[in-house]
């Protein structure tokens, strides 16, 4: 790509057009790929800077900010939704100013540092051979690409977008996993969207606590549909996967920790309106992987290919039961919150949640409870 056309595309709104060098154009191409635009596997030549020009940094910052705004508004943003503000119901769309009061996506140096490091390193990582020393070097480079300290809401969205786009770069599985793991550690949103087999409950509790904080929670309100689809797709892929029993158990366990962790976080924050993605995901599982009778679902798992002994079978059943139990917990909270009366502290929250639960998940109640009961081995 020549410098002039790229300069015209990214020209400032006011003032003369900016012309970028070929090296700067490569850096911007990597940024576009991280944001999901062109294919990352076309990036063959690294872009390295001793001191990036202010014009390049400004263009990159504007590109990230615009893409983040589109990401937040594009996902069912046209739908009016009811959310809570200071415990009271408020309606609006993704771009409604009244719902965005106090929220602006905030960025730290981590976004810029990741972009420039990726521009320098990702093309090289994709071209490395499989020699042991090259693999070790690539792993070290991949581990240093993302700074996870002190990131903010805008960084989180950018990193979640990059997490989804990274497979387009021609990285070996180990390097791809390393970079994505670092992105999840730096972005609570990425950690919520993409269950991590290595993340424990304490780590997730800290991550999700940052997401439900007053100045950040608007991010989640804007991506409810993405969350529901991501979790539903993860469950469907795990159900269809032909993996070793330990790997399959780890995948289901990661999904269970994610879903239960998010339910804990929103309930603690008195924000059960944010459980809508959980309701939708549980409903999609009830009509997807868990669509059969409970005993049939259990039998399908108990005879999964590769299971070698009773211990592996019981571990897999327990992991999947943990996911199925999310639906049971959601229905139980529906019944509990239905007891809130006008004037009670959580009345408005209860009205939003109970209404949504009855619309989305209550119709599948028998299926949800039957599968969870069969997987847990409870009789009756």
């Amino acid at each position: 790509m020549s410098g002039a056309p790229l300069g015209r595309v990214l020209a400032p709104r006011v003032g003369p057009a900016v012309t970028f060098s070929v090296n700067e154009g490569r850096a911007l191409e990597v940024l576009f790929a991280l944001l999901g635009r062109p294919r990352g596997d076309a990036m063959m030549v690294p872009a390295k800077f001793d001191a990036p020009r202010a014009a390049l940094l400004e263009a990159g910052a504007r590109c990230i900010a615009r893409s983040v705004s589109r990401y937040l508004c594009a996902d069912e943003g046209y739908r009016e939704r009811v959310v809570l503000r200071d415990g009271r119901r408020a309606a609006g769309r993704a771009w409604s100013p009244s719902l965005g009061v106090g929220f602006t996506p905030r960025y730290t140096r981590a976004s810029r540092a990741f972009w420039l490091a990726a521009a320098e390193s990702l093309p090289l990582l994709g071209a490395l051979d499989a020699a042991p020393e090259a693999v070790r070097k690539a792993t070290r480079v991949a581990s240093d690409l993302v700074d996870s300290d002190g990131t903010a809401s805008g960084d989180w969205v950018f990193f979640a977008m990059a997490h989804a786009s990274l497979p387009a770069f021609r990285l070996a599985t180990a390097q791809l996993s390393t970079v994505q793991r670092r992105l999840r550690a730096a972005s609570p949103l990425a950690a919520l969207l993409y269950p991590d087999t290595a993340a424990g409950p304490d780590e997730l509790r800290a991550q999700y606590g940052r997401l439900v904080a007053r100045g950040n929670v608007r991010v989640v309100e804007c991506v409810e549909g993405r969350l529901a689809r991501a979790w539903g797709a993860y469950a469907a892929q795990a159900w269809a996967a032909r993996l070793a029993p330990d790997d399959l158990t780890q995948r289901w366990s990661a999904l269970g920790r994610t879903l239960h962790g998010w339910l804990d976080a929103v309930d603690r924050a008195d924000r059960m309106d944010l459980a809508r993605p959980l309701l939708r995901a549980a409903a999609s599982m009830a009509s997807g992987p868990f669509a059969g009778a409970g005993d049939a679902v259990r039998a399908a798992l108990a005879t999964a290919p590769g299971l070698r002994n009773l211990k592996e079978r019981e571990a897999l059943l327990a992991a999947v039961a943990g996911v199925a139990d999310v639906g049971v917990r959601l229905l139980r909270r529906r019944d509990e919150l239905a007891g809130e009366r006008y004037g009670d502290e959580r009345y408005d929250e209860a009205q939003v949640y109970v209404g949504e639960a009855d619309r989305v998940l209550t119709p599948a109640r028998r299926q949800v409870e039957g599968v969870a009961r069969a997987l847990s081995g409870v009789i009756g």
Side-chain angles (χ1 to χ4, degrees), residues 20 39 85 98 123 136 155 193 229 249 267 340:
F20 294 103
R39 292 175 56 189
R85 289 293 179 269
S98 60
R136 285 193 290 271
D155 304 320
L193 279 163
R229 290 192 300 273
T249 297
D267 204 2
E340 291 286 310

Side-chain angles (χ1 to χ4, degrees), residues 41-54:
D41 60 5
M43 309 304 150
M44 303 294 293
V45 181
K48 185 174 182 179
F49 303 92
D50 293 328
R53 283 197 304 154

